[in-house]
Amino acid sequence: MRFEVEKTPTFSLTQTLNCGQVFRYTEEGDTSVILAGAHRAEAREFADRYEFDCDDSEFFKKYLDFDTNYGIIQLKAQDKGVVSAAIEFGKGIHILRQSPLETIFSFLVSQNNHIPRIKGIIERICTALGRDMGGYHAFPEAEAFADAGTEFFRSVGAGYRAEYLSRTAEQLSGVDLTLWNALPTDELRERLVALHGVGRKVADCVLLFGFNRFDVFPVDTWIRKVFAPEYGDMPADRLAKELVRRYGEDSGFVQQWLFYYKREEKF
């Protein structure tokens, strides 16, 4: 299937893929390959548009969040200061509509890790445990993670995260995560931090990227650097709560703009 998307100021595929929210993609020149769940898309960038060749066009239109009006969100969030500058720098970022299961396991792998290594570990897991889709592998189900065992995850380079992956998989086997969508954000966070190896930061990443809860503000090293002049060494959990009080329902969007802006060392 093929579809085209006209270029607009509020969508950049490069920014969307490279802002730290997703790991199953490759880029070469003007072509990007995106894997999500059991789906694959090949995107090409032209001067005035993007062209997508994929197995399911409706899936990828939703996945890339083309239904959200990012221009309105950006106007609401302007502060004539650092947030406005971050929006201007990263205004092409969309928050992807990812699978909660894939997001949980991906962000367990991401802890104290760097992106090339994260991507490598995840692809080795998918190749070994995921369904063969013909030329690529689907992201595995929780049961496949659970059956693999801790030693397998060590063998693919997960290190101390191997136990997190295997024990969380055991906890999630047979669980229908779509039912968690009905939970309020705070209650859903409690479910997530009850998983082995999931703390507040990983839980907030899963809430934002896997459940699309925008009333969260994941706090990592980059976000702490942004707010250190104002909040000092405030503990990360407390800072996250303070920033949600400050930015409200747009917190998740603001976090991504600021994270991307600071990580690229633009201020």
Side-chain angles (χ1 to χ4, degrees), residues 60-78:
F60 278 103
K61 287 175 185 178
K62 181 178 179 181
Y63 179 78
L64 292 162
D65 199 26
F66 289 130
D67 290 334
T68 296
N69 190 326
Y70 280 81
I72 289 176
I73 297 167
Q74 291 171 8
L75 283 173
K76 282 174 55 187
Q78 297 287 342

Side-chain angles (χ1 to χ4, degrees), residues 77-231:
Q78 297 287 342
D79 67 350
K80 299 182 180 179
V82 67
V83 173
S84 292
I87 290 171
E88 182 60 29
F89 181 73
K91 62 186 175 184
I93 293 172
H94 278 201
I95 306 295
L96 298 172
R97 302 281 173 164
Q98 299 185 64
S99 151
L101 183 76
E102 186 165 346
T103 311
I104 290 168
F105 287 115
S106 295
F107 278 88
L108 283 173
V109 171
S110 78
Q111 294 185 81
N112 299 310
N113 217 338
H114 57 84
I115 288 178
R117 190 163 181 265
I118 297 165
K119 292 172 75 170
I121 293 168
I122 290 172
E123 280 314 301
R124 288 191 288 275
I125 290 171
C126 292
T127 299
L129 306 180
R131 184 159 39 103
D132 187 348
M133 304 301 296
Y136 69 98
H137 288 79
F139 197 87
E141 298 296 331
E143 291 75 15
F145 273 84
D147 291 343
T150 304
E151 290 307 314
F152 164 76
F153 295 113
R154 289 201 179 98
S155 75
V156 296
Y160 70 87
R161 307 165 196 84
E163 186 176 345
Y164 296 170
L165 294 167
S166 61
R167 289 185 58 182
T168 290
E170 291 169 1
Q171 290 175 277
L172 290 178
S173 290
V175 174
D176 183 356
L177 289 176
T178 62
L179 299 178
W180 292 17
N181 280 315
L183 300 173
T185 298
D186 287 344
E187 189 175 340
L188 180 48
R189 182 185 289 110
E190 289 177 8
R191 292 280 185 98
L192 292 168
V193 297
L195 299 173
H196 191 67
V198 176
R200 169 81 187 225
K201 186 259 184 179
V202 168
D204 280 354
C205 286
V206 174
L207 285 166
L208 178 56
F209 305 130
F211 289 94
N212 292 117
R213 302 298 175 92
F214 301 110
D215 56 338
V216 300
F217 207 113
V219 171
D220 70 344
T221 299
W222 298 110
I223 293 298
R224 290 182 68 86
K225 287 180 179 179
V226 171
F227 291 102
E230 186 173 356
Y231 292 103

Side-chain angles (χ1 to χ4, degrees), residues 1 3 34-41 54-65 97-99 102:
M1 297 181 183
F3 68 96
I34 307 163
L35 301 176
H39 300 286
R40 181 184 186 276
C54 60
D55 62 333
D56 188 332
S57 58
E58 291 308 309
F59 172 87
F60 278 103
K61 287 175 185 178
K62 181 178 179 181
Y63 179 78
L64 292 162
D65 199 26
R97 302 281 173 164
Q98 299 185 64
S99 151
E102 186 165 346

Side-chain angles (χ1 to χ4, degrees), residues 14 23 33 48 50 65 114 123 133 166 219 228 265-267:
T14 296
F23 306 105
V33 175
D48 61 342
Y50 293 97
D65 199 26
H114 57 84
E123 280 314 301
M133 304 301 296
S166 61
V219 171
E265 291 294 343
K266 299 302 178 183
F267 75 98

